[in-house]
Amino acid sequence: MKHVKHARCVRCGKLYEAVPDLTNCSCGGILDIVYDYDYIKAHFTKDTLKNRRDNSMWRYRELLPVEEDTPNTPLRVGWSPLYEADALAAQLGIRKLYVKDDGINPTASLKDRASAMAVAKAREAGARVIACSSTGNAASSLAGNAAAAGLKTYIFVPSRAPKGKVAQLMTFGATVISVQGSYEDAFELSKAAIDRWGWYNRNAAINPYLSEGKKTVALEIMEQLDWVVPDYIAISVGDGCTIAGLWKGLKDLYAIGFIDRLPRLISAQAEGCCPLNRAIETGEDWYPMEENTLADSIAVGVPRNADKALMAIRESHGLTVNVSDEEIMAAQKLLGRTCGVFGEPAGVTGAAVHEAAAKVIGDAGYGPYFGHGFGHGVGVEIHEQPNAAPSNDKPLPVGAVISAEPGIYLPGKFGVRIEDVVVVRENGCLDLMRAPKQLIVL
């Protein structure tokens, strides 16, 4: 793959050749695929996409870790609609709101993007069997995409997996192993079986290529918005692979010059299972939680992609919102009533954050940033600014207002140019006082 340099461990930095059957680093860290952006910029332009008729995730092959001669997977995955949700935006007091409907994918979830990538890489590896553990959607996705490609699947699910999804797996011809225990138990059993029998590993927290498939949702959103970057993108979060992939796709586009800034992410988790959000909110390391939510596909008490997910939230200066099962079910009805889009509980958790997030990012300005540095979005430009004024590291009093003329830089990891003011909040975070123009929910 001329456009891929190597894989790098996000924990220790060790480099690996980007072979088809990559798994975790020897230190246990997750690998990240590193691209040759100079090569990609020389061979891939916006005009390339304008003239491309492949309306699937494979239209972005130059940004995907597949060989030139690797065929597209049989089912059409991706290029799902991005709906302008004016009625919902008006109800929530957000200036502009879009809904990305990945329910039109072959097995009705965003997970098809990862499974299509798994099938492509399994073919490159010469594998005939793919296996994974899943709480629901990833299992259905793998079973369907593998069946279309003529590959056999073994899928490990916790005993609480919905019967309807298990029936779907069996319809696709998968061998289903119901594990009496949690998702963590199913994961460990699948890992042991994969190691024992040499099956291709579709577990997103082990196989670094799967988040590369999921990142295509970010590439699509930006192309569908004609490369105009929204202020926020809200997304349901479980294992962490999806939000990590979303952020990777956005950074790829920024690196090759297709977009000129990056949005902030909103990580949506269920109150009954929110280990990643809790880590951001407390500033502590994440630790396991019970899986107490009806949103089965994001009920992951031990997130295996925590490193990349937490990195995505922090690097994007993102927000975290935890919602109750009652709010999730209310969002399901609200999304259907205002947008005509039907989603399952896990799929609409991103929509459930709207009301809570709107309180934070509405006319009051940008919401609290849980981390270090400054938030960014509309009216804010991020620049590498080595000559920014040095910080005296003294805490500012609560309620302090930092006046800044356009073009004035504030100290931080990046120089941040602001157009209005920054206010210090009680939690020590800084709020940029501007109302967002656009929010996207996944």
Side-chain angles (χ1 to χ4, degrees):
M1 295 182 286
K2 297 178 181 178
H3 59 305
V4 174
K5 290 184 174 180
H6 46 250
R8 178 191 294 127
C9 177
V10 300
R11 188 176 297 172
C12 73
K14 184 176 180 179
L15 303 183
Y16 291 82
E17 182 183 356
V19 295
D21 56 352
L22 275 177
T23 55
N24 282 353
C25 177
S26 58
C27 77
I30 302 169
L31 302 183
D32 186 46
I33 305 302
V34 179
Y35 292 88
D36 184 340
Y37 291 122
D38 289 334
Y39 180 88
I40 293 172
K41 284 190 285 187
H43 295 83
F44 187 51
T45 67
K46 293 178 183 179
D47 286 336
T48 306
L49 283 175
K50 285 182 181 179
N51 298 321
R52 190 160 284 174
R53 295 294 176 262
D54 179 4
N55 289 331
S56 76
M57 61 178 274
W58 300 110
R59 67 189 279 107
Y60 306 106
R61 291 181 71 96
E62 289 85 350
L63 285 171
L64 295 176
V66 292
E67 300 287 353
E68 290 184 19
D69 59 353
T70 298
N72 291 1
T73 47
L75 300 181
R76 200 210 77 175
V77 175
W79 203 243
S80 59
L82 182 69
Y83 298 123
E84 194 168 344
D86 291 339
L88 182 57
Q91 184 163 332
L92 296 175
I94 297 173
R95 297 184 189 181
K96 184 67 69 175
L97 177 66
Y98 296 87
V99 173
K100 181 71 167 169
D101 183 12
D102 252 29
I104 63 92
N105 279 324
T107 72
S109 83
L110 186 147
K111 304 290 180 71
D112 281 334
R113 299 175 184 272
S115 292
M117 180 61 69
V119 167
K121 300 306 290 185
R123 282 173 160 176
E124 289 182 3
R128 299 299 303 166
V129 178
I130 311 180
C132 77
S133 59
S134 171
T135 55
N137 285 339
S140 302
S141 166
L142 174 60
N145 281 273
L151 301 178
K152 190 173 183 179
T153 53
Y154 287 88
I155 299 175
F156 298 74
V157 300
S159 55
R160 62 174 169 77
K163 291 183 174 59
K165 290 186 177 179
V166 173
Q168 187 180 19
L169 303 182
M170 298 177 74
T171 299
F172 288 138
T175 299
V176 181
I177 298 93
S178 179
V179 179
Q180 298 302 308
S182 65
Y183 169 73
E184 171 69 4
D185 296 322
F187 179 90
E188 290 297 338
L189 187 58
S190 73
K191 183 176 181 298
I194 289 168
D195 290 344
R196 170 66 177 82
W197 299 105
W199 301 328
Y200 191 80
N201 196 329
R202 189 252 180 251
N203 284 318
I206 291 180
N207 187 329
Y209 293 117
L210 302 191
S211 62
E212 298 295 316
K214 289 188 175 183
K215 81 179 182 186
T216 58
V217 72
L219 311 183
E220 286 179 17
I221 289 172
M222 292 300 100
E223 185 180 4
Q224 289 167 328
L225 289 177
D226 198 23
W227 315 109
V228 176
V229 181
D231 298 316
Y232 295 84
I233 301 180
I235 189 163
S236 306
V237 175
D239 214 13
C241 182
T242 302
I243 194 169
L246 174 69
W247 186 237
K248 177 67 178 294
L250 293 166
K251 290 199 298 182
D252 283 350
L253 292 176
Y254 185 78
I256 63 173
F258 277 33
I259 58 176
D260 59 4
R261 65 183 182 89
L262 294 165
R264 296 174 73 182
L265 304 184
I266 301 176
S267 170
Q269 291 204 283
E271 282 181 349
C273 192
C274 56
L276 295 175
N277 283 2
R278 184 175 59 184
I280 294 291
E281 293 158 5
T282 63
E284 301 174 355
D285 291 338
W286 73 268
Y287 56 90
M289 284 189 70
E290 294 294 325
E291 299 169 353
N292 296 323
T293 175
L294 56 77
D296 58 274
S297 283
I298 58 169
V300 182
V302 182
R304 293 288 181 165
N305 220 315
D307 288 346
K308 284 187 179 181
L310 294 173
M311 189 182 305
I313 300 169
R314 288 170 176 146
E315 285 184 357
S316 74
H317 298 194
L319 306 179
T320 59
V321 181
N322 304 317
V323 293
S324 66
D325 283 354
E326 290 75 19
E327 289 172 314
I328 290 172
M329 297 308 293
Q332 188 178 45
K333 294 179 181 178
L334 181 62
L335 193 63
R337 187 170 63 249
T338 59
C339 305
V341 173
F342 178 81
E344 64 158 14
V348 303
T349 302
V353 310
H354 285 170
E355 189 168 357
K359 295 175 184 176
V360 177
I361 65 174
D363 290 337
Y366 290 108
Y369 157 51
F370 303 105
H372 305 282
F374 299 92
H376 62 282
V378 170
V380 182
E381 299 171 34
I382 300 300
H383 299 270
E384 293 286 354
Q385 184 64 19
N387 298 320
S391 171
N392 59 14
D393 292 325
K394 293 181 180 179
L396 294 168
V398 173
V401 175
I402 307 170
S403 297
E405 298 295 330
I408 297 296
Y409 284 90
L410 298 178
K413 182 178 179 181
F414 297 97
V416 179
R417 183 183 304 183
I418 67 173
E419 293 183 358
D420 288 316
V421 297
V422 172
V423 177
V424 180
R425 297 303 185 197
E426 291 184 4
N427 58 4
C429 298
L430 302 181
D431 283 1
L432 301 180
M433 301 305 289
R434 286 184 59 86
K437 292 181 179 178
Q438 290 184 337
L439 169 67
I440 289 179
V441 60
L442 289 173

